[in-house]
Amino acid sequence: RPARPRRDSLAAPPKRSSLHDSSARPLVLPRIGLADSIRSLRAGSASAGRVVRLRIREPVSAERLRGGFYTPRGLVELCLQRAAGLLEGETAIRMLEPSAGDGAFVRGLASSGTGIDERVREICAIEVIPEEAAKAELSLRSSGVAGRVVRRSALQWAADTDEWFGLVVGNPPFVRYQLVSETDKAAIGRLGARLGVAFRGVANLWIPVLLGSLARLQPNGVLAVVLPTECFTGFAAGAV
């Protein structure tokens, strides 16, 4: 029979961590600015022999800042074909394009091959960039459909308008929230108050633009827009 170990040979239990000790003082981390954080990060990486490249607002392209990535013709036609099928039998349709860009969806009305251009009575296209709004106006005139191009932020417009539409189409801007202007952030707050939606934690501009447009859709209306897969999986898209 093996001998029992002596009591004094047993390992002493570990001391309780101060993290679990109610008498321990709370850990307070110093508050440092962005410049200090960058210097610390660079210094740590240099000692480890690594190179750190930080992406800040300045080197981001103008197109990315405004979400200026335009929709391929095939995708435009797919959205309009889908909308035409869902709106079968409907006439005198009022169409909203909340992020018109150079007018890709306006031009696509005739080229979709569905005849939906003959059923759309009026188009309201929203575009904040003056140069792109001018292109959208040319596309609108060429379409032969009545309407107007509103040179304004889609967020500010949605926070104020009382118009209703039977069809919403488009490709909303995909701009990360930290790159959004302060004016648009204020408009997001006003829009959220109007819709009763808290946009806290929203990571991208497409979410409030989509909900602002959806709120102007009349009963039995159709939404045919280009959305990212995070619409179904992203935490920030919970508002949708």
Side-chain angles (χ1 to χ4, degrees):
R1 185 177 182 181
R4 296 180 61 183
R6 292 176 54 188
R7 185 177 184 85
D8 58 1
S9 67
L10 293 175
K15 294 183 64 178
R16 197 177 187 187
S17 169
S18 60
L19 290 176
H20 303 284
D21 188 351
S22 58
S23 63
R25 298 179 61 187
L27 177 65
V28 179
L29 297 177
R31 297 182 62 183
I32 60 176
L34 176 60
D36 293 329
S37 300
I38 293 174
R39 281 194 292 269
S40 299
L41 181 59
R42 285 175 174 167
S45 299
S47 63
R50 292 184 284 113
V51 177
V52 174
R53 293 181 176 87
L54 300 175
R55 178 177 292 176
I56 55 178
R57 182 169 181 148
E58 287 74 15
V60 178
S61 68
E63 289 78 11
R64 183 167 184 176
L65 283 175
R66 62 184 174 87
F69 300 100
Y70 298 120
T71 317
R73 178 176 174 177
L75 193 51
V76 169
E77 293 179 353
L78 179 64
C79 288
L80 291 172
Q81 288 165 8
R82 177 64 172 160
L86 293 171
L87 288 168
E88 186 175 0
E90 296 289 334
T91 58
I93 300 166
R94 298 193 72 226
M95 185 180 97
L96 170 65
E97 215 291 41
S99 50
D102 63 353
F105 279 85
V106 175
R107 292 192 302 274
L109 280 175
S111 63
S112 65
T114 63
I116 192 173
D117 56 316
E118 299 176 358
R119 296 189 282 144
V120 172
R121 182 190 73 195
E122 182 184 355
I123 298 172
C124 177
I126 314 295
E127 177 52 49
V128 68
I129 306 297
E131 296 81 5
E132 301 305 312
K135 297 175 186 177
E137 287 175 343
L138 289 175
S139 299
L140 181 59
R141 287 200 292 269
S142 300
S143 71
V145 180
R148 71 193 192 281
V149 176
V150 179
R151 300 190 180 194
R152 194 181 183 193
S153 161
L155 295 164
Q156 298 172 35
W157 175 86
D160 298 330
T161 189
D162 291 319
E163 295 186 72
W164 294 96
F165 300 88
L167 172 62
V168 176
V169 298
N171 184 358
F174 300 101
V175 181
R176 295 197 64 79
Y177 191 77
Q178 62 264 36
L179 302 180
V180 175
S181 70
E182 293 302 320
T183 302
D184 273 343
K185 287 180 180 178
I188 290 172
R190 290 195 296 120
L191 178 61
R194 182 179 189 182
L195 301 181
V197 175
F199 285 114
R200 293 186 300 273
V202 166
N204 205 292
L205 193 63
W206 70 263
I207 299 172
V209 170
L210 172 67
L211 293 186
S213 304
L214 193 59
R216 307 319 309 165
L217 194 64
Q218 66 190 35
N220 299 319
V222 169
L223 177 80
V225 298
V226 179
L227 295 177
T229 54
E230 69 173 310
C231 176
F232 305 101
T233 60
F235 171 77
V240 178

